[in-house]
DNA sequence: GGCCTGATTGTTGAG
DNA sequence: CTCAACAATCAGGCC
C-alpha cells in the first residue's frame, strides 16, 4: 500500500526542454472515438481535469460572460498553481484511483499485445 | 451545414 | 532517462 499512497507526487523535477508546441494542428483523432478502446485503453482524466469540472461550474456562475473552456482553462491553470497542495491532493486522490483502474486495463492491453497478435477479428459490427 | 482548433496541466507508454 | 502525444470541454471560426 505504499506504492502510491502519497497520491500527491507530481514529478516536479521534469523540466521539459521541448517548448516547441505542436505546430498548429495536433494529429489528434478528434472526429469520433471509434472503437479503439477495444485494445487501447484511453487515458483517464488527470487531477487537473477533475478540478476543471468543479472549477468550470463555479467559473461560469461568476463569469456567465465567459466564452468557452479556453478562457476557463487559463484561469483554471492559474488558480491551480495557486491552490494549496493539500487542496490539490483531493483531486489527485481521485485521479489516483482512476489511474489504478486504468493501469489494470493497460496491463491487460499490453499482456494481450505481447501474448498474441492482434488479428483484428472483428466480428461484431 | 459541418468539422476542426485551441488552451489548461497531468499522466502514462514507448524508445 | 526522456520525449511526445493524449485526456475533457465547448464554443467559435472557417469554407
Amino acid at each position: 500500500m505504499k506504492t502510491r499512497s502519497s497520491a500527491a507526487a507530481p514529478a516536479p523535477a521534469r523540466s521539459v526542454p521541448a517548448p516547441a508546441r505542436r505546430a498548429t494542428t495536433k494529429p489528434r483523432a478528434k472526429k469520433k472515438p471509434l472503437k479503439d478502446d477495444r485494445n487501447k485503453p484511453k487515458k483517464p482524466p488527470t487531477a487537473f481535469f477533475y478540478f476543471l469540472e468543479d472549477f468550470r461550474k463555479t467559473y461560469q456562475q461568476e463569469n456567465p460572460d465567459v466564452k468557452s473552456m479556453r478562457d476557463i482553462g487559463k484561469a483554471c491553470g492559474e488558480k491551480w498553481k495557486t491552490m494549496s497542495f493539500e487542496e490539490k491532493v483531493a483531486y489527485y486522490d481521485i485521479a489516483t484511483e482512476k489511474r489504478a483502474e486504468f493501469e489494470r486495463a493497460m496491463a491487460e492491453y499490453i499482456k494481450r499485445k505481447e501474448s498474441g497478435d492482434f488479428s483484428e477479428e472483428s466480428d461484431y459490427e
Side-chain angles (χ1 to χ4, degrees):
Chain A
M1 3 207 143
K2 252 39 333 189
T3 41
R4 277 173 226 269
S5 44
S6 297
R14 196 184 306 162
S15 355
V16 26
R21 255 178 230 295
R22 276 117 70 192
T24 47
T25 99
K26 271 199 277 203
R28 220 167 359 113
K30 54 199 114 261
K31 259 185 79 244
K32 47 196 204 191
L34 213 64
K35 343 173 159 243
D36 289 349
D37 312 55
R38 94 195 210 352
N39 57 30
K40 279 198 263 193
K42 82 182 173 199
K43 307 195 276 194
T46 61
F48 183 71
F49 275 42
Y50 284 106
F51 170 65
L52 252 161
E53 285 183 56
D54 187 47
F55 184 85
R56 175 163 53 76
K57 292 171 189 171
T58 302
Y59 190 87
Q60 286 181 345
Q61 284 179 3
E62 297 188 44
N63 301 287
D65 296 335
V66 83
K67 302 289 187 124
S68 45
M69 267 216 61
R70 287 173 283 171
D71 291 317
I72 300 173
K74 288 176 187 176
C76 200
E78 191 176 357
K79 177 80 181 247
W80 180 259
K81 288 175 182 181
T82 61
M83 277 175 73
S84 296
F85 176 73
E86 295 177 354
E87 295 182 276
K88 294 194 287 190
V89 157
Y91 297 97
Y92 274 98
D93 184 57
I94 298 167
T96 301
E97 290 183 70
K98 295 293 180 190
R99 283 193 305 253
E101 190 176 357
F102 168 74
E103 193 177 351
R104 179 176 306 256
M106 185 52 88
E108 242 177 286
Y109 158 63
I110 294 169
K111 180 178 179 182
R112 182 169 216 172
K113 185 177 174 186
E114 294 180 351
S115 186
D117 337 341
F118 256 100
S119 294
E120 35 225 90
E121 351 291 301
S122 61
D123 316 320
Y124 346 42
E125 263 80 333

